[in-house]
Amino acid sequence: MARPFLSRQERFAVVGSTNDVVRGWLAQGTPEVCLAVADEQSRGRGREGRAWIAPRGAALLLSLGFRPSWLPAERAWRLAATASLAMAEAAEGLAGLPTGTIRLKWPNDLVVDSTDAWLKLGGVLGETDGLGTEDPRVVVGMGINADWAAVDFPPAIAAGMTSLREAAAGRPVDAEGLLAAFLPHLEVRIEALRDGSFGAADWRQRQATTGRTIRLELPHGRAEEVRAVDVDANSGALLVDDGRGTAERQVLSAEVRHVRVAEPASPTPASPPASPIGV
């Protein structure tokens, strides 16, 4: 008899962090794949320790636990990438959106692309323990804005975010329905990954950064503008061209704090015509 895809699945009304719950399960010996879902998190987090807070019922908040002894340590990042692809496919199908509407903003966001900005739909946080040992453990946390109306977005970040409800022109998108749609997509992709097939073409095709001039915000307050030309399916790195005529270089996720669309350069104003009144 085939083993079930999920070894353990629990839902919480309120929890500090689903990532912490799943990390604890793995430490106790729970086999993969385990899943914790929460209606609300009081200490949800993203990269660089940023908070992730969403109103109860407005977002799908979950964490997945893996024991990827079957995956080389240097490719453990593919678990988060695979979960992101599965979520993008499931969300588009549930919300009735055209394929490719939901993009992946390197390294860890799901976005809806617009002309001059990325509207953040969700975030992904991968955390690891014991990579390279006999007991590797990976936790992939995801927060996806589902049935969240724009009028209720937090004012401080409303301009840079969206939800499936808004992407679907106001059509309600139930978080529980999103979870039900997501799990079959995830199972297919994880089983393929176990068999050595990552889905690199899909991952590359959904990249919102490719072909854009972006601003890399680096540690210690430094920043640089580069052109993102591709992603590397072996290392997970972003490939960039800094415009100096050198070869493309790799940027790893650990090297950056944030990635933004670069602001267009302001044109140099033309000299005003002479004015008899000195204006």
Side-chain angles (χ1 to χ4, degrees):
M1 179 182 295
R3 61 176 174 78
F5 176 62
L6 293 178
S7 67
R8 181 174 183 176
Q9 177 178 356
E10 291 191 33
R11 171 176 287 281
F12 301 87
V14 181
V15 71
S17 164
T18 54
N19 266 31
D20 291 343
V21 170
V22 170
R23 179 183 290 104
W25 289 351
L26 292 175
Q28 294 164 10
T30 302
E32 67 175 16
V33 176
C34 49
L35 167 68
V37 183
D39 296 328
E40 186 177 355
Q41 293 186 117
S42 60
R43 296 190 304 276
R45 60 183 181 274
R47 290 184 75 242
E48 301 290 337
R50 300 183 186 95
W52 181 277
I53 304 296
R56 184 186 294 265
L60 175 59
L61 307 171
L62 64 85
S63 293
L64 299 153
F66 299 92
R67 295 183 177 280
S69 56
W70 43 270
L71 190 64
E74 66 273 14
R75 294 186 177 176
W77 63 270
R78 288 183 172 181
L79 289 165
T82 296
S84 296
L85 287 171
M87 184 62 75
E89 293 165 343
E92 287 172 346
L94 184 66
L97 301 173
T99 300
T101 299
I102 298 173
R103 311 289 298 280
L104 307 180
K105 192 198 85 171
W106 188 93
N108 69 316
D109 287 341
L110 282 80
V111 300
V112 174
D113 212 352
S114 65
T115 303
D116 56 0
W118 293 307
L119 299 180
K120 184 170 180 175
L121 178 69
V124 182
L125 177 65
E127 298 179 317
T128 65
D129 291 296
L131 290 186
T133 72
E134 294 182 354
D135 185 25
R137 286 164 274 167
V138 175
V139 179
V140 176
M142 308 185 79
I144 309 297
N145 300 329
D147 202 35
W148 197 347
V151 294
D152 298 323
F153 290 171
I157 58 174
M161 66 178 286
T162 190
S163 67
L164 284 177
R165 182 187 184 108
E166 292 303 316
R171 172 182 170 183
V173 180
D174 178 60
E176 194 65 27
L178 179 58
L179 176 63
F182 166 64
L183 289 175
H185 284 276
L186 179 70
E187 181 173 2
V188 169
R189 285 196 171 273
I190 290 297
E191 292 302 333
L193 189 61
R194 285 192 179 114
D195 290 336
S197 177
F198 166 48
D202 294 341
W203 180 67
R204 292 178 66 196
Q205 188 173 17
R206 283 194 185 265
Q207 294 297 320
T209 42
T210 300
R212 305 287 285 267
T213 299
I214 59 174
R215 179 180 174 85
L216 301 178
E217 296 184 0
L218 308 169
H220 310 298
R222 297 179 298 119
E224 62 176 318
E225 289 190 5
V226 295
R227 184 169 179 80
V229 296
D230 206 345
V231 284
D232 180 65
N234 289 314
S235 66
L238 180 69
L239 302 180
V240 303
D241 178 0
D242 58 14
R244 299 171 186 168
T246 57
E248 294 173 3
R249 66 181 174 91
Q250 291 190 347
V251 177
L252 297 174
S253 61
E255 299 176 29
V256 300
R257 295 178 59 87
H258 200 60
V259 178
R260 302 181 185 275
V261 177
E263 296 287 341
S266 300
T268 302
S271 300
S275 168
I277 55 175
V279 176

